[in-house]
Amino acid sequence: MAGGGLITAVIVDDHAAISAGVHSWCSRADPKIALIDAGDRLADVWTGPGAEADVVIFDLELVPGRPDFGELRRLVDSGRRVIVYSQHTDDATAIKCVDLGALAYLTKREGPEHLVPAIREVARGESYTAPSLSGALIADDDPGRPRLSQRETEVLRAWFVSSSKELVAAKLNITVKTVDTYIARVRVKYANVGRAARTKSELVGRALDDGLITLAELNQTSAPAGEGPSR
């Protein structure tokens, strides 16, 4: 969208009817929004025209019963501007997506009167609050979600893909003692919400559940996520 030109968006959704509807809304928008249909092919967001799109419209659940919070975090971490467009109407899902960095969360009940303005706002790097998200933010009292700081999350993720805390410390330019402190804080926060994680393996499981890291990232580490000297 250089110089305020044509906005481009890529939609990842496994329902052709949804993609067709969004394409129609975008083509009738004034000014028009160019839509790239990736279907259910996440790879098309990272290669080809989709890689350059200003906005990613992301169906959270491409596989039934498996909302992909990890892929959402991966998109956000890479600098993509994401709208989650989902059939999930529960507050917990909406809040989790925002916590992971989505700039907008819309349910599929919310039509062009919200999706089109959301695309424009998100393309500028601004957030858009649809009615469903507004209600979710007001009702955000989920006792099962620990509130991790950005630095706590960064240290945790680095530890999961490193063979030792010494390597984490070197990578993040902090001391091993500081690494231990952050990890201890995370354990306390999980324990306080009734999801104790006493071992590294248990903590990895919590992080996977919450979309803090993906299996693909874990598989890149040179050491297993189980217990060892870096516990």
Side-chain angles (χ1 to χ4, degrees), residues 97-211:
C97 289
V98 172
D99 282 349
L100 288 172
L103 289 176
Y105 184 94
L106 281 78
T107 72
K108 290 181 179 177
R109 297 177 181 177
E110 292 166 316
E113 69 275 13
H114 290 292
L115 184 57
V116 170
I119 293 171
R120 299 201 192 284
E121 289 297 307
V122 170
R124 292 195 291 266
E126 303 292 336
S127 61
Y128 180 88
T129 304
S132 59
L133 180 57
S134 177
L137 291 171
I138 293 171
D140 182 20
D141 58 358
D142 184 355
R145 283 190 326 109
R147 296 288 188 175
L148 304 187
S149 70
Q150 182 176 348
R151 190 59 162 170
E152 286 167 349
T153 301
E154 182 181 22
V155 171
L156 196 65
R157 284 168 38 78
W159 184 43
F160 289 157
V161 298
S162 298
S163 58
S164 71
K165 291 176 180 175
E166 286 76 11
L167 289 175
V168 177
K171 177 181 179 181
L172 300 180
N173 196 30
I174 56 179
T175 66
V176 174
K177 182 178 180 180
T178 301
V179 173
D180 280 328
T181 298
Y182 277 117
I183 293 172
R185 288 177 186 170
V186 172
R187 291 192 197 278
V188 168
K189 288 185 177 183
Y190 270 107
N192 285 344
V193 296
R195 299 170 67 199
R198 297 177 183 85
T199 66
K200 187 174 184 180
S201 294
E202 290 175 345
L203 205 50
V204 166
R206 302 294 187 226
L208 285 169
D209 289 342
D210 292 345

Side-chain angles (χ1 to χ4, degrees), residues 30-42:
D30 185 20
K32 177 181 177 180
I33 296 167
L35 188 73
I36 301 160
D37 184 2
D40 62 356
R41 303 176 301 276
L42 276 168

Side-chain angles (χ1 to χ4, degrees), residues 54-70:
D54 300 308
V55 176
V56 178
I57 304 170
F58 181 56
D59 179 2
L60 187 66
E61 196 168 295
L62 295 173
V63 178
R66 291 177 56 189
D68 199 344
F69 297 108

Side-chain angles (χ1 to χ4, degrees), residues 11-22 37 39-40 59 61-62 64 87 108:
I11 184 168
V12 188
D13 197 298
D14 60 335
H15 292 95
I18 295 293
S19 296
V22 173
D37 184 2
D40 62 356
D59 179 2
E61 196 168 295
L62 295 173
Q87 72 270 29
K108 290 181 179 177

